[in-house]
Amino acid sequence: MSQTKEIEFKNLLTPAEANRVLAVYPFTHSFKQTNVYYDTKEKRLKKQFLGLRIRLFATSAEQTLKVPLTKSQHSLTEITDTLTLAQAKGLWSAETILTPSQVATKLNALQINPKELLVIGHATTIRRQSQLTAGLLVLDQTIYPDTTSDYELELEVTQSNTSAFHDILVKQNIQKRPVQNKIIRALRHQ
């Protein structure tokens, strides 16, 4: 289990902008991950601005609850439990999460019963990462079940510093665009 504070800045990209960014920064090899998103029938997580997913990698998996630290979209706490790939596939199929777990404990503390959770959507992301002085630069191409895809650029930093992300956008001539989180985007494209 881990609990980390995350500060991130995001922007949606056009395919041409994604290709420009890919050509300029020293990204590591891409890897694939599938995110499975959860909420209750009454959308209790959404109402509390929480995000819950199980993420499946090639040989491992994890479940993560994202809890906002402030009203800002940029700061949140991530509570993550490690899963085996087999556990994650079974949990996805059963439309549940691992209990007991740190994620389940936090949900209970927030008055959300983990037994009321259900799968609300999923998406597969091809991710590339580049470690910069300013932070971790992430380029995602997300493919949704209806075959729609989009590109997102993200800068994960340790201290809130909007200028570093702004500088990247300006240098690459990228228009600032508002970003809805992947759960919302995935729900539109199931």
Side-chain angles (χ1 to χ4, degrees), residues 6 10 33-38 45 51-55 57 62-66 78-80 83 97 103 127 182-183:
E6 188 173 269
K10 298 180 178 193
Q33 59 192 34
T34 297
N35 292 333
V36 182
Y37 302 109
Y38 290 80
L45 279 79
L52 177 59
R53 69 168 182 242
I54 287 182
R55 178 172 279 172
F57 300 101
E62 62 191 21
Q63 66 183 16
T64 301
L65 178 66
K66 294 187 173 208
E78 287 192 350
I79 300 166
T80 301
L83 305 172
I97 64 166
V103 168
R127 174 164 282 189
K182 282 184 186 161
I183 296 173

Side-chain angles (χ1 to χ4, degrees), residues 35-41 52-54 88-97 114 116-123 183 187 190:
N35 292 333
V36 182
Y37 302 109
Y38 290 80
D39 204 339
T40 65
K41 185 176 176 182
L52 177 59
R53 69 168 182 242
I54 287 182
K89 288 177 179 179
L91 293 166
W92 181 3
S93 177
E95 295 200 38
T96 190
I97 64 166
E116 295 176 9
L117 295 169
L118 51 97
V119 171
I120 59 169
H122 70 278
I183 296 173
L187 288 175
Q190 288 303 299

Side-chain angles (χ1 to χ4, degrees), residues 2-187:
S2 71
Q3 185 167 324
T4 58
K5 178 181 175 185
E6 188 173 269
I7 302 170
E8 53 191 22
F9 300 95
K10 298 180 178 193
N11 199 74
L12 288 178
L13 305 179
T14 66
E17 290 167 340
N19 285 331
R20 280 201 314 269
V21 168
L22 194 54
V24 171
Y25 293 97
F27 287 98
T28 58
H29 292 290
S30 65
F31 60 94
K32 186 170 91 169
Q33 59 192 34
T34 297
N35 292 333
V36 182
Y37 302 109
Y38 290 80
D39 204 339
T40 65
K41 185 176 176 182
E42 299 80 20
K43 300 183 180 359
R44 297 197 53 217
L45 279 79
K46 180 181 179 182
K47 289 175 184 172
Q48 294 188 46
F49 306 100
L50 304 170
L52 177 59
R53 69 168 182 242
I54 287 182
R55 178 172 279 172
L56 296 87
F57 300 101
T59 60
S60 63
E62 62 191 21
Q63 66 183 16
T64 301
L65 178 66
K66 294 187 173 208
V67 181
L69 291 173
T70 63
K71 296 207 185 272
S72 162
Q73 296 178 347
H74 302 297
S75 299
L76 50 90
T77 296
E78 287 192 350
I79 300 166
T80 301
D81 296 306
T82 302
L83 305 172
T84 67
L85 194 54
Q87 279 178 308
K89 288 177 179 179
L91 293 166
W92 181 3
S93 177
E95 295 200 38
T96 190
I97 64 166
L98 181 68
T99 57
S101 65
Q102 292 301 310
V103 168
T105 298
K106 182 64 175 180
L107 287 170
N108 283 317
L110 294 167
Q111 306 300 311
I112 297 170
N113 183 346
K115 292 180 180 175
E116 295 176 9
L117 295 169
L118 51 97
V119 171
I120 59 169
H122 70 278
T124 298
T125 297
I126 300 167
R127 174 164 282 189
R128 294 170 177 86
Q129 299 176 324
S130 180
Q131 187 62 56
L132 307 178
T133 304
L136 182 65
L137 188 66
V138 177
L139 178 62
D140 285 345
Q141 179 186 11
T142 302
I143 301 112
Y144 303 99
D146 69 357
T147 70
T148 302
S149 71
D150 62 31
Y151 295 88
E152 178 182 87
L153 187 66
E154 174 182 324
L155 182 63
E156 294 181 6
V157 296
T158 55
Q159 294 184 354
S160 187
N161 178 1
T162 58
S163 65
F165 191 62
H166 176 76
D167 291 348
I168 291 169
L169 298 180
V170 169
K171 284 180 187 174
Q172 299 309 315
N173 194 27
I174 296 171
Q175 177 184 343
K176 179 74 176 120
R177 296 179 188 92
V179 177
Q180 290 184 314
N181 71 40
K182 282 184 186 161
I183 296 173
I184 293 170
R185 294 185 345 242
L187 288 175

